[in-house]
């Protein structure tokens, strides 16, 4: 990920509802969540949620697919990983042992590293 892409991604995430939506999508996994269900979970109108999801889709952080009458969104894990790698790229001035505990954190293990 280059600096321009990172700025677009951070811009898309610099809003409370969008960040909440993305966190829900990350938890949901590769199956994603229908836009209507997301709207209920964040207690926002469907049109408001649709606007925010489109902004994140333009930034490459989420993708959408049609499932019957619903639009299902899912997190783009490769893009999110790229954003994290961009931030950690030159970690600790070439001393990776300093960053190793952070990079090895079990953030993707069920029940660990996530707020429920």
């Amino acid at each position: 990920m280059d600096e321009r892409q990172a700025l677009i991604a951070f811009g898309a995430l610099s809003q409370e509802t969008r960040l909440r939506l993305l966190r829900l999508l990350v938890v949901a996994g590769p199956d994603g969540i229908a836009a209507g269900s997301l709207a209920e979970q964040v207690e926002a109108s469907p049109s408001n949620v649709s606007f925010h999801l489109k902004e994140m889709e333009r930034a490459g952080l989420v993708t959408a697919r049609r499932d019957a009458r619903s639009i299902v969104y899912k997190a783009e894990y490769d893009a999110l990983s790229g954003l994290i790698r961009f931030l950690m790229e030159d970690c600790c001035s070439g001393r990776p042992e300093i960053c190793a505990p952070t990079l090895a954190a079990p953030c993707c293990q069920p029940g660990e590293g996530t707020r429920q």
Side-chain angles (χ1 to χ4, degrees), residues 9-70:
F10 283 123
L13 293 174
S14 66
Q15 201 279 341
E16 180 182 358
T17 301
R18 292 181 201 156
L19 190 56
R20 289 177 62 206
L21 289 166
L22 185 63
R23 290 180 56 89
L24 287 169
L25 291 170
V26 167
V27 170
D31 292 336
I33 304 176
S37 180
L38 285 166
E40 289 173 10
Q41 291 183 56
V42 298
E43 299 178 345
S45 71
S47 61
N48 185 290
V49 166
S50 178
F51 169 77
H52 290 304
L53 289 166
K54 289 290 181 196
E55 287 297 310
M56 289 191 295
E57 189 174 22
R58 275 191 273 274
L61 300 173
V62 303
T63 55
R65 74 175 190 285
R66 181 164 290 283
D67 185 7
R69 294 180 58 194
S70 297

